[in-house]
Amino acid sequence: GILGGGGEDRATAVKSLGATKGEKVLKVLADLLGRDESPVRVETADALGTFEEYAAKASAYLLAALGSNREEKVQAAVLEAVGRLKQESSAPVVNKWIDVKDNRVAKAAVEATGRIRSATSIEPLIELLKKLEKLGKLSKSSANQAGGPSIPGSARNDSNKEARERVKTVQPAAV
């Protein structure tokens, strides 16, 4: 069948299949979202994000798959697709993902809230910005603290680096 072959072949097939809009295609894609290799799931999420005429159903399938997909690249692709569908009903779930640990996923969630434009996202975004501001100040102040030399690979340097990376990645999307 069209979705036989290796993961790359199936990802290419999903891309082609996604160009054909319809209820049956939507269900086939939704099924793949939960059970195939990650490149196929990423491509499937991307394809579902183009189903504007079936936006409510496509969003529901994407959100249902969000929690069961543990890979960050798949989670980010799902959130990006949900954002493109702009369903107000998706906002409460997307809001829960704006402060997850993985920067790529958090950024995708923040950008999705920007596309969805729900009033329910305002408060969580403000809270996120406050955390990021505090994190930015902490990483700057602890980098300048007396208390010994800067030791590459030390826990203090690693956490500062993580904090700076989080602020650099997520904050621009939230502003």
Side-chain angles (χ1 to χ4, degrees), residues 2 4 13 16 24 29 40-41 48 57 61-62 71 95 98 117 121 123 133 157-158 162 167 171 175:
I2 187 173
S16 298
K24 288 182 181 177
L29 291 174
V40 176
R41 287 182 282 151
L48 285 170
K57 280 188 177 180
Y61 286 133
L62 286 160
E71 291 178 74
N95 292 343
I98 65 172
R117 304 187 69 76
S121 299
E123 195 56 42
E133 188 177 327
N157 282 355
D158 289 350
E162 287 173 19
V167 171
Q171 194 169 29
V175 177

Side-chain angles (χ1 to χ4, degrees), residues 4-175:
E8 257 183 58
D9 292 340
R10 286 195 310 279
T12 302
V14 164
K15 194 173 212 160
S16 298
L17 185 61
T20 306
K21 306 295 184 258
E23 291 271 347
K24 288 182 181 177
V25 173
L26 184 67
K27 288 180 180 161
V28 169
L29 291 174
D31 185 48
L32 288 174
L33 193 56
R35 66 177 181 88
D36 213 312
E37 297 174 28
S38 64
V40 176
R41 287 182 282 151
V42 167
E43 200 60 58
T44 301
D46 192 49
L48 285 170
T50 66
F51 275 65
E52 289 92 0
E53 55 276 22
Y54 301 97
K57 280 188 177 180
S59 290
Y61 286 133
L62 286 160
L63 293 173
L66 191 55
S68 63
N69 277 289
R70 298 284 176 236
E71 291 178 74
E72 286 86 4
K73 63 184 166 191
V74 177
Q75 292 170 340
V78 167
L79 287 161
E80 289 164 9
V82 168
R84 286 195 307 275
L85 293 169
K86 301 177 182 174
Q87 294 294 294
E88 168 80 27
S89 59
S90 301
V93 175
V94 173
N95 292 343
K96 293 177 184 174
W97 287 81
I98 65 172
D99 197 20
V100 295
K101 186 173 178 144
D102 184 80
N103 291 340
R104 180 178 27 184
V105 176
K107 181 179 182 216
V110 169
E111 289 173 347
T113 64
R115 288 184 166 161
I116 294 169
R117 304 187 69 76
S118 169
T120 65
S121 299
I122 295 171
E123 195 56 42
L125 287 169
I126 290 171
E127 290 304 311
L128 176 66
L129 282 169
K130 286 179 184 174
K131 280 184 182 178
L132 291 171
E133 188 177 327
K134 187 185 251 184
L135 197 56
K137 286 178 183 171
L138 283 175
S139 71
K140 285 178 187 163
S141 69
S142 64
N144 297 330
Q145 279 179 356
S150 175
I151 303 167
S154 72
R156 185 177 73 185
N157 282 355
D158 289 350
S159 67
N160 286 343
K161 184 179 178 187
E162 287 173 19
R164 285 191 301 276
E165 188 62 32
R166 178 126 179 116
V167 171
K168 187 175 102 178
T169 304
V170 180
Q171 194 169 29
V175 177

